[in-house]
Amino acid sequence: MTEILSASSDGITRAAALLRGGALVAFGTETVYGLGGDATNGSAVAAIFAAKGRPSFNPLISHYPSAEAAFEDVRPSSIALELAAAFWPGPLTLVLPRRPGSRVSLIAAAGLDTLAVRVPGHPDALALLTAVGRPVAAPSANRSGRISPTTAAHVLDELVGLVAAVLDSGRCAVGLESTVLDLSGARPVLLRHGGVTAESIEQIAAEVSLGGVGNGILRSPGQMSSHYAPSLPVRLNATSAANGEGVLAFGPFAVGSGPVFQLSETRDLIEAASRLFDGLRWLDDEGERVALSGIAAMPIPDVGLGRAINDRLRRAAAPRPGGG
Ligand code: TXA
Ligand code: MG
């Protein structure tokens, strides 16, 4: 079954040995839990796609303990070097041209000539990556199309029996995935809003195009419109709740009869981001308990981390292919 490892030095050593042996290990990062496999091992990478039920055309991020290690597999531009110095370790993923000698398996990058690389900010993740000594491919540790996990318990809900182990490093502080920035073309293109705000990237890289967000089916194959989907329908920009709806609140809310999950009483976007996926999961569970008809999500300002929150909420509310 699935071993639950504490993030002690023994736990990290065990997790690293499993990864080096080709097994899958979920591990905490500052953004969300990742479903890790040795990125240089084609069978391990194929097992990641199988465990998630992820389409094989959707490439994976490779994770490294340092920028130097990452840049062994991709060719950094001067902006990439500046962004890496500013934001790594941290919630930023850079898409760069793959080096010809890159160790990363071709299926990890879905056959593209670019590779997404990231140095995560969580100390346990860095210790694990250092111990593995190879790039670790890791998508979020959820079933494809579902809500990303921000605790080890969420990972077990999604993938128990499908991963060799979960390294429990507590609750993810950021709670949303990394920002994905494509630096492989003439001009930087933001492919996914995430833990590093577009505004803070723009302070270093001028003329970032936001054109990749939302229409990313071509440039970032993972940006399907329906994603992060709870079982219940989600209604956006709700200013009141109908009977039978649960509420995802952002600040004071006129309490109705249904359950309320407060993202942030003080309307703090950092706090709200860190609680978003938890809230969607909680309301979904409440929905089963007390038969809710849906989730009413209060409006969130579309600035800073609010853009990443709104992106995830729009996907949670999007019509689902196949109705589920
Ligand atoms: O915070 C995160 O980024 C987490 C943690 C575990 O690091 N990982 C994560 O991975 O969210 P995933 O697979 O759920 O999302 C990766 C996104 C997908 O939208 C994928 O299409 C895009 O990055 N991506 C990966 N490689 C790419 C490439 N070469 N070109 C364009 N987009 C790429
Ligand atoms: Mg994901």
Side-chain angles (χ1 to χ4, degrees):
M1 280 309 270
T2 298
E3 291 177 43
I4 300 168
L5 302 171
S6 73
S8 59
S9 70
D10 283 356
I12 287 170
T13 304
R14 169 83 183 139
L18 286 167
L19 283 166
R20 289 178 64 89
L24 303 188
V25 176
F27 62 99
T29 79
E30 79 284 22
T31 58
V32 299
Y33 274 73
L35 170 56
D38 176 354
T40 67
N41 175 337
S43 334
V45 173
I48 295 177
F49 283 99
K52 269 188 74 101
R54 176 165 172 133
S56 58
F57 57 77
N58 188 2
L60 306 177
I61 300 171
S62 291
H63 296 71
Y64 299 84
S66 67
E68 294 68 41
F71 295 150
E72 285 173 27
D73 286 325
V74 289
R75 247 182 313 110
S77 58
S78 58
I79 290 178
L81 294 171
E82 279 181 62
L83 289 168
F87 297 113
W88 280 353
L92 177 66
T93 293
L94 300 178
V95 173
L96 288 162
R98 188 187 166 92
R99 284 189 195 275
S102 161
R103 303 157 286 175
V104 173
S105 152
L106 282 172
I107 25 169
L112 298 173
D113 52 11
T114 56
L115 189 64
V117 295
R118 163 163 128 81
V119 179
H122 196 298
D124 298 336
L126 290 172
L128 176 66
L129 293 166
T130 304
V132 175
R134 295 179 199 155
V136 172
S140 49
N142 49 282
R143 300 295 197 102
S144 190
R146 298 257 315 138
I147 302 167
S148 298
T150 52
T151 65
H154 294 169
V155 176
L156 293 172
D157 284 349
E158 298 275 332
L159 296 171
V160 74
L162 295 172
V163 290
V166 180
L167 184 66
D168 185 351
S169 50
R171 186 171 290 275
C172 301
V174 176
L176 286 176
E177 298 84 348
S178 62
T179 302
V180 180
L181 186 69
D182 185 353
L183 296 176
S184 66
R187 177 176 173 195
V189 180
L190 194 79
L191 298 179
R192 177 173 77 182
H193 285 295
V196 172
T197 64
E199 290 90 335
S200 56
I201 289 174
E202 278 163 346
Q203 290 182 355
I204 293 177
E207 306 213 356
V208 174
S209 160
L210 299 186
V213 178
N215 75 355
I217 217 85
L218 291 174
R219 300 203 61 167
S220 188
Q223 297 292 72
M224 284 88 157
S225 57
S226 171
H227 211 124
Y228 310 103
S231 311
L232 291 173
V234 178
R235 189 163 64 83
L236 300 177
N237 294 317
T239 48
S240 63
N243 259 346
E245 275 184 325
V247 178
L248 191 66
F250 182 67
F253 190 84
V255 181
S257 54
V260 177
F261 188 94
Q262 182 58 261
L263 289 173
S264 172
E265 193 71 54
T266 59
R267 298 179 189 258
D268 178 272
L269 289 170
I270 297 178
E271 183 184 26
S274 75
R275 290 170 56 76
L276 175 67
F277 290 151
D278 242 7
L280 289 171
R281 275 178 195 272
W282 185 80
L283 286 166
D284 233 11
D285 290 347
E286 283 296 290
E288 266 171 39
R289 221 170 48 79
V290 299
L292 294 177
S293 60
I295 297 173
M298 281 177 75
I300 307 242
D302 208 37
V303 292
L305 276 180
R307 290 156 102 172
I309 297 172
N310 284 327
D311 169 78
R312 305 307 187 268
L313 283 175
R314 274 193 298 273
R315 290 175 207 284
R320 322 227 167 117

